[in-house]
């Protein structure tokens, strides 16, 4: 799992999709002072430096920095592919050594009630881990510009900054891409099923 810092440009615009997805989130004083910085998450899908995340994390970014666990300092990244319909994007970093991809599981074979682990960068807190269960599958979800189709519901805590990070099974395999949480409800979060994602990003794996 990686943490992503996205610095937005100065173009005036209406509220970003990121803020609309989390429209009840109140930023900290530091984030109010630096309103152009967004936080997100992602995970490595190829030794060649390709990283999967949500499209809304990188949507307006003019500069991307990727923070790896155990590595000193971030690496710059660039967007190489995006799919606004599915809210997915692939970014790439240049690394002096091959990166280790996260193992992929199967969302189709995941059962309701199984353990679910969310790893991400909530509120800029790098590599945070939360635990829950798969609360539901095949939930139809459409939200303004996005039509997510049938998603995974989980009660693992997901907050702003978790977007794009992996939802894992107990074996540490990715079964989904954490995407959004419903406010003001408690413990209702959604992830894009990994079996939907894999065909879309096959060229980068």
């Amino acid at each position: 799992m990686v943490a992503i810092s996205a610095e937005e440009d100065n173009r005036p615009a209406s509220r970003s999709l990121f803020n609309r997805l989390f429209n009840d989130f109140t930023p900290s004083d530091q984030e109010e002072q630096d309103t152009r910085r967004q936080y997100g998450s992602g995970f490595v899908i190829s030794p060649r430096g390709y990283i999967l995340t949500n499209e809304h994390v990188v949507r307006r970014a003019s500069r991307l920095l990727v923070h790896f666990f155990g590595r000193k300092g971030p690496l710059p990244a660039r967007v190489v592919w995006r799919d606004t319909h599915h809210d997915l994007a692939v970014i790439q970093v240049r690394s002096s050594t091959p990166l280790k991809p996260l193992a992929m599981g199967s969302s189709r074979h995941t059962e309701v009630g199984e353990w679910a682990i969310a790893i991400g960068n909530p509120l800029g807190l790098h590599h945070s881990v939360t635990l829950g269960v798969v609360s539901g599958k095949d939930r139809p979800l459409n939200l303004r510009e996005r039509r997510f189709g049938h998603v995974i519901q989980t009660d693992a805590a997901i907050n702003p900054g978790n977007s794009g990070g992996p939802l894992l099974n107990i074996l540490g395999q990715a079964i989904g891409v954490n995407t959004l949480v419903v406010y003001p409800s408690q413990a209702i979060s959604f992830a894009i099923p990994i079996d939907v994602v894999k065909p879309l990003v096959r060229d980068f794996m």
Side-chain angles (χ1 to χ4, degrees):
M1 199 288 301
V2 301
I4 299 172
S5 298
E7 296 180 2
E8 295 186 354
D9 58 31
N10 288 320
R11 291 176 299 173
S14 59
R15 295 170 66 208
S16 68
L17 176 65
F18 183 94
N19 287 328
R20 293 200 299 273
L21 290 176
F22 299 107
N23 57 6
D24 289 327
F25 167 59
T26 301
S28 67
D29 291 341
Q30 175 60 37
E31 287 167 327
E32 288 177 334
Q33 294 169 11
D34 186 7
T35 56
R36 292 179 300 169
R37 175 165 293 179
Q38 302 280 18
Y39 296 109
S41 305
F43 55 96
V44 177
I45 59 173
S46 166
R48 296 173 292 163
Y50 292 118
I51 295 167
L52 180 66
T53 187
N54 280 133
E55 194 274 338
H56 75 257
V57 171
V58 302
R59 191 179 200 188
R60 288 178 48 80
S62 58
R63 183 170 181 249
L64 292 170
L65 295 175
V66 176
H67 305 260
F68 290 85
F69 182 76
R71 183 191 292 260
K72 185 177 180 180
L75 293 178
R78 65 187 182 98
V79 178
V80 295
W81 176 85
R82 65 177 74 212
D83 182 333
T84 56
H85 179 77
H86 292 95
D87 195 13
L88 295 169
V90 174
I91 63 177
Q92 186 180 26
V93 298
R94 300 290 185 184
S95 175
S96 58
T97 57
L99 301 180
K100 183 178 180 180
L102 182 64
M104 299 285 187
S106 172
S107 51
R108 184 174 63 255
H109 295 142
T110 299
E111 300 293 338
V112 173
E114 291 184 354
W115 291 112
I117 304 163
I119 305 180
N121 183 31
L123 311 184
L125 300 172
H126 297 181
H127 309 104
S128 296
V129 180
T130 58
L131 178 66
V133 298
V134 175
S135 305
K137 292 178 60 179
D138 299 322
R139 302 290 199 205
L141 181 66
N142 296 320
L143 183 66
R144 295 187 176 94
E145 298 96 332
R146 301 297 196 263
R147 296 187 178 275
F148 296 99
H150 296 273
V151 296
I152 298 172
Q153 179 187 339
T154 180
D155 66 351
I158 294 176
N159 293 284
N162 275 111
S163 292
L167 186 69
L168 308 175
N169 60 21
I170 198 64
L171 300 176
Q173 300 167 331
I175 57 172
V177 179
N178 298 321
T179 299
L180 61 94
V181 60
V182 176
Y183 288 116
S185 62
Q186 295 183 357
I188 299 180
S189 303
F190 298 103
I192 303 170
I194 204 67
D195 288 344
V196 172
V197 175
K198 285 188 285 189
L200 298 173
V201 299
R202 193 177 307 279
D203 290 344
F204 301 100
M205 297 173 65

